[in-house]
Amino acid sequence: MSEHPAADLDRLPHAVSQLVTVFEQLGAEHKALVAEAEKTTAKERRGTVNRMAESVAQAGYTLSHIVTMLATVHGLKALGIDRQFSKDADGRVYSPLDSLGHPGETLYEAAGSLQAVAHALGKTYTPTRKHPALARARCPQQLGAALISLRAALESVCADLAADQDVEAVAEYALTLTFLSDLEDRVCRTVPAQGAGPTADEVAAAIRANPDIARAAAAALATTTA
């Protein structure tokens, strides 16, 4: 059986832990989208929000499948199982019985599924022509945490692929890592809280100190209402 360094095995639990975070954090966004769709009366606008909710739900289903794949990879590596073939009486490879599990192939498939989740979420928040303002996070804190953890999970999987000498795969997914960072910046941007502004007493005190303020305010209001 093959031997795998402990460092390789440590990366997979970290990736799974990050994906559990993604799965948990997507719940708030999905709930908010469903609630918004239920309250939206405009048919086309409601349809857009419903599609967004369905896409987030599909991401959750796919994440569940990816976690199972990574757990399988971890188990195969921990047990030293890596494409072993049966042997004939002379000790030669006997292929008709196929081979045991291949951790590398499953890991590559998991990375591809992670990439698909990333780009599906990106499509979810792509502005439409009629309703571009809908392309935003309803729960930016939770969705932001999900995207950060999704990126961390993909980084761990890429590190494992690199350890398996799959350099081309690592280069392929580098663009997705950047894509996730850009997506977080775009859809999870929060508006800074506005200050409360001066109180009535503060305004009165300013007018008493400088009567020109009152005259300027009256002129501005007259212009606005004219």
Side-chain angles (χ1 to χ4, degrees):
M1 293 194 295
S2 303
E3 294 293 332
H4 293 275
D8 291 2
L9 298 177
D10 290 343
R11 284 189 288 265
L12 291 173
H14 177 260
V16 169
S17 174
Q18 293 299 315
L19 291 180
V20 170
T21 297
V22 178
F23 185 77
E24 292 175 342
Q25 296 300 317
L26 285 181
E29 184 72 6
H30 182 263
K31 183 177 181 180
L33 287 167
V34 169
E36 181 178 331
E38 290 175 349
K39 293 186 294 185
T40 301
T41 56
K43 184 176 180 181
E44 187 174 345
R45 186 184 182 93
R46 184 173 65 248
T48 298
V49 178
N50 269 326
R51 286 191 294 273
M52 293 174 73
E54 290 168 2
S55 182
V56 172
Q58 184 58 53
Y61 301 145
T62 305
L63 286 168
S64 175
H65 180 56
I66 297 171
V67 167
T68 299
M69 285 194 290
L70 292 181
T72 299
V73 173
H74 183 266
L76 290 172
K77 287 191 172 187
L79 294 170
I81 296 173
D82 192 354
R83 295 172 293 178
Q84 289 91 343
F85 283 91
S86 295
K87 296 180 180 180
D88 62 18
D90 297 320
R92 294 188 295 266
V93 169
Y94 184 72
S95 60
L97 295 186
D98 204 356
S99 64
L100 298 181
H102 183 185
E105 286 184 356
T106 305
L107 187 65
Y108 184 79
E109 182 182 354
S113 296
L114 281 172
Q115 185 179 51
V117 168
H119 288 284
L121 288 174
K123 186 176 180 180
T124 301
Y125 295 95
T126 297
T128 61
R129 183 174 59 84
K130 290 190 176 181
H131 302 291
L134 294 178
R136 57 174 175 78
R138 274 57 177 180
C139 299
Q141 182 177 350
Q142 287 82 2
L143 184 60
L147 293 175
I148 290 171
S149 291
L150 185 59
R151 189 180 194 281
L154 184 55
E155 284 177 334
S156 291
V157 170
C158 284
D160 222 42
L161 287 170
D164 286 343
Q165 308 303 315
D166 198 341
V167 179
E168 290 184 3
V170 175
E172 176 184 348
Y173 297 122
L175 292 176
T176 302
L177 295 173
T178 301
F179 174 81
L180 284 168
S181 294
D182 293 343
L183 181 61
E184 182 208 351
D185 290 340
R186 179 169 63 84
V187 305
C188 299
R189 187 182 303 125
T190 55
V191 178
Q194 300 296 317
T199 65
D201 289 341
E202 289 171 338
V203 172
I207 291 173
R208 285 193 295 271
N210 185 358
D212 288 341
I213 293 177
R215 286 191 288 270
L221 288 171
T223 301
T224 301
T225 57

